[in-house]
């Protein structure tokens, strides 16, 4: 780690996502994993980043342990925003097909919010990336659903998966944000917190 001040802190990543955990390892940030499971329900009037902000903060509020002075709890949430609708994780194959079919040949927004909580303060940051799919054939969508795992990903796809490799034509913004964590923003925020 290039900043020794962070070593004085215990970074708690409250996420079961293997992708987010891998990013923390690659950023050379020491961390412990302590996932929080909450019902991801939000008020209907929220839109875009308001949804991911709300859910990231909801997860932080669900952390059952007392934070010590040198603890930094990190919670996050990613939403796919398309045609004024939030596309969550699909519940089944039919829902996954419908989501990917609606994203086909169109732009959508991937928004990730990250909430940093200490025993004295809380701040939430978010980043948005625009992504465009080519026209996806029904076979391509079905092949992805049958052979990969769209069910643990907002919008029913992972940009790092086969469907992303063959289907995404253009991206405007942070790639890591689409995978599930805006790494540059997370690093910058942590460095500011520890001074």
């Amino acid at each position: 780690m290039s900043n020794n001040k962070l070593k004085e802190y215990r970074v708690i990543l409250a996420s079961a996502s293997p992708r987010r955990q891998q990013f923390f390892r690659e950023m050379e940030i020491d961390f412990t994993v302590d996932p929080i499971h909450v019902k991801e329900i939000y008020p209907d009037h929220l839109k875009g980043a308001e949804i991911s902000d709300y859910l990231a903060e909801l997860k932080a509020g669900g952390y059952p342990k007392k934070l010590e002075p040198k603890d930094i709890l990190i919670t996050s949430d990613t939403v796919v925003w398309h045609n004024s609708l939030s596309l969550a994780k699909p519940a089944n194959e039919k829902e996954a097909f419908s989501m990917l079919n609606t994203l086909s040949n169109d732009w959508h927004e991937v928004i990730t919010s990250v909430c940093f909580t200490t025993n004295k303060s809380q701040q939430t940051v978010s980043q948005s990336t625009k992504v465009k799919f080519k026209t996806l054939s029904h076979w391509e969508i079905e092949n992805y659903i049958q052979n990969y795992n769209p069910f643990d990903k907002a919008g029913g796809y992972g940009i790092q998966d086969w469907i992303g490799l063959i289907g995404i034509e253009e991206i405007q913004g942070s790639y890591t944000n689409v995978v599930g964590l805006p790494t540059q923003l997370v690093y910058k925020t942590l460095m500011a917190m520890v001074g």
Side-chain angles (χ1 to χ4, degrees), residues 122-186:
Q122 184 177 81
Q123 66 170 311
T124 303
V125 297
S126 67
Q127 189 150 15
S128 174
T129 304
K130 291 184 177 177
V131 181
K132 179 165 190 300
F133 267 111
K134 76 176 186 78
T135 301
L136 298 167
S137 71
H138 284 191
W139 177 86
E140 288 165 341
I141 295 172
E142 286 165 359
N143 181 61
Y144 178 63
I145 293 168
Q146 294 302 319
N147 294 294
Y148 296 86
N149 184 18
F151 306 110
D152 70 337
K153 300 173 182 77
Y157 80 93
I159 193 171
Q160 71 278 12
D161 293 344
W162 177 82
I163 196 91
L165 297 177
I166 64 100
I168 289 174
E169 287 184 336
E170 198 173 339
I171 176 172
Q172 295 176 2
S174 165
Y175 170 82
T176 64
N177 184 52
V178 185
V179 180
L181 193 77
T183 53
Q184 190 273 336
L185 183 59
V186 167

Side-chain angles (χ1 to χ4, degrees), residues 39-56:
K39 287 190 176 179
E40 297 184 9
I41 300 169
Y42 56 88
D44 291 341
H45 67 273
L46 298 182
K47 299 182 185 314
E50 294 171 345
I51 298 171
S52 49
D53 283 359
Y54 179 91
L55 292 174

Side-chain angles (χ1 to χ4, degrees), residues 82-95:
H82 180 253
N83 288 342
S84 299
L85 287 174
S86 174
L87 303 182
K89 297 167 185 173
N92 50 48
E93 290 185 10
K94 185 179 177 184
E95 216 168 84

